[in-house]
Amino acid sequence: MTAPVRVLICDDQPLIRTGFTTIIDAQPDLEVVGECGDGRTAVDLAARLHPEVVVMDVRMPVLDGIAATRLLAGAGVADPVKVLVVTTFNLDEYVYEALRAGASGFLLKDAPPAQLLHGIRTVATGAALLAPEVTRQLVGRHAARIRPAEEKPANVALTPRELEVLRLIASGLSNGEIAVALVISQETVKTYVSRILTKLDLRDRVQAVIYAYRNGLVA
């Protein structure tokens, strides 16, 4: 049998940690290997326990979730850990910074248990978790901050079709919605997404969204 995905829970609310642990440990393919209430302890525990996924709160004492995420999964980290950020219902203003810091995605704290489990399994595979409806809210709130002060056309080696797909990703469309919009199959969309990420040297579609906005590819 495949070993269960090792998960570390980091949240400053004991009840949240207990709830997450109970839900996760009930799954045969997932295992909570540790929990803590601040980002500094999360970084220390990750180095010792080697989790595959860290479920990370944003606002915490000692070291917040953004700084901890940067230390665990940011640029230049030799052995990055997958980080799934959790935030409040109104989309914490720091979530965008957490994604830039290297998080693989995020969920709302009031998401049902099934979404939490799906999120952990998704980021564990190396994929990004950024639901289309959340993308729309995120870029809607932070578009002005994401764009550079002086917008200039991006100098990228993408084909016109790839640029079109990138713009639709940044607009918050899922692969299925992109397929319908462009009248192509979802498999073709996946191929385009893979090519875009490779050409731009991006880790996942979370970074693709940020790239598109920072380079003025989305109005």
Side-chain angles (χ1 to χ4, degrees), residues 121-191:
R121 293 179 177 121
T122 297
V123 300
T125 66
L129 183 76
L130 193 60
E133 64 272 17
V134 177
T135 305
R136 295 184 186 109
Q137 295 179 64
L138 177 69
V139 298
R141 289 181 64 128
H142 299 286
R145 293 173 57 200
I146 298 173
R147 293 196 191 96
E150 295 182 5
E151 294 180 9
K152 298 178 181 178
N155 183 21
V156 294
L158 298 182
T159 66
R161 180 63 106 181
E162 289 166 349
L163 280 170
E164 191 172 16
V165 171
L166 178 57
R167 291 188 178 101
L168 293 176
I169 292 172
S171 296
L173 272 65
S174 66
N175 285 355
E177 291 170 330
I178 293 173
V180 171
L182 301 182
V183 196
I184 56 179
S185 70
Q186 288 197 48
E187 287 302 316
T188 300
V189 174
K190 290 180 181 178
T191 299

Side-chain angles (χ1 to χ4, degrees), residues 72-94:
L72 291 169
V77 175
D79 189 17
V81 181
K82 304 293 190 303
V83 177
L84 177 63
V85 172
V86 292
T87 185
T88 53
F89 177 75
N90 62 350
L91 287 181
D92 193 308
E93 63 181 346
Y94 301 114

Side-chain angles (χ1 to χ4, degrees), residues 3-217:
V5 174
R6 296 168 60 81
V7 182
L8 173 65
I9 306 297
C10 184
D11 194 292
D12 65 343
Q13 298 181 51
L15 284 177
I16 294 292
R17 295 200 304 271
T18 299
F20 284 176
T21 297
T22 300
I23 293 167
I24 295 167
D25 274 344
Q27 306 302 307
D29 61 330
L30 304 175
E31 175 189 12
V32 175
V33 296
E35 61 175 73
C36 58
D38 67 83
R40 171 51 60 191
T41 304
V43 174
D44 293 341
L45 285 178
R48 180 156 51 91
L49 301 175
H50 305 290
E52 294 161 81
V53 177
V54 177
V55 177
M56 181 77 74
D57 191 11
V58 174
R59 296 176 177 174
M60 294 180 295
V62 185
L63 189 71
D64 65 38
I66 297 170
T69 296
R70 190 172 294 112
L71 292 174
L72 291 169
V77 175
D79 189 17
V81 181
K82 304 293 190 303
V83 177
L84 177 63
V85 172
V86 292
T87 185
T88 53
F89 177 75
N90 62 350
L91 287 181
D92 193 308
E93 63 181 346
Y94 301 114
V95 167
Y96 165 67
E97 296 299 338
L99 295 175
R100 288 192 65 195
S104 293
F106 68 91
L107 289 173
L108 303 179
K109 275 193 175 179
D110 65 346
Q115 285 190 21
L116 172 66
L117 298 173
H118 171 70
I120 293 170
R121 293 179 177 121
T122 297
V123 300
T125 66
L129 183 76
L130 193 60
E133 64 272 17
V134 177
T135 305
R136 295 184 186 109
Q137 295 179 64
L138 177 69
V139 298
R141 289 181 64 128
H142 299 286
R145 293 173 57 200
I146 298 173
R147 293 196 191 96
E150 295 182 5
E151 294 180 9
K152 298 178 181 178
N155 183 21
V156 294
L158 298 182
T159 66
R161 180 63 106 181
E162 289 166 349
L163 280 170
E164 191 172 16
V165 171
L166 178 57
R167 291 188 178 101
L168 293 176
I169 292 172
S171 296
L173 272 65
S174 66
N175 285 355
E177 291 170 330
I178 293 173
V180 171
L182 301 182
V183 196
I184 56 179
S185 70
Q186 288 197 48
E187 287 302 316
T188 300
V189 174
K190 290 180 181 178
T191 299
Y192 278 125
V193 172
S194 178
R195 288 177 184 170
I196 291 167
L197 297 181
T198 299
K199 285 186 175 182
L200 300 180
D201 192 26
L202 302 174
R203 185 188 61 205
D204 50 43
R205 65 194 296 139
V206 172
Q207 291 190 347
V209 171
I210 294 172
Y211 178 94
Y213 273 84
R214 288 187 64 85
N215 286 277
L217 298 178

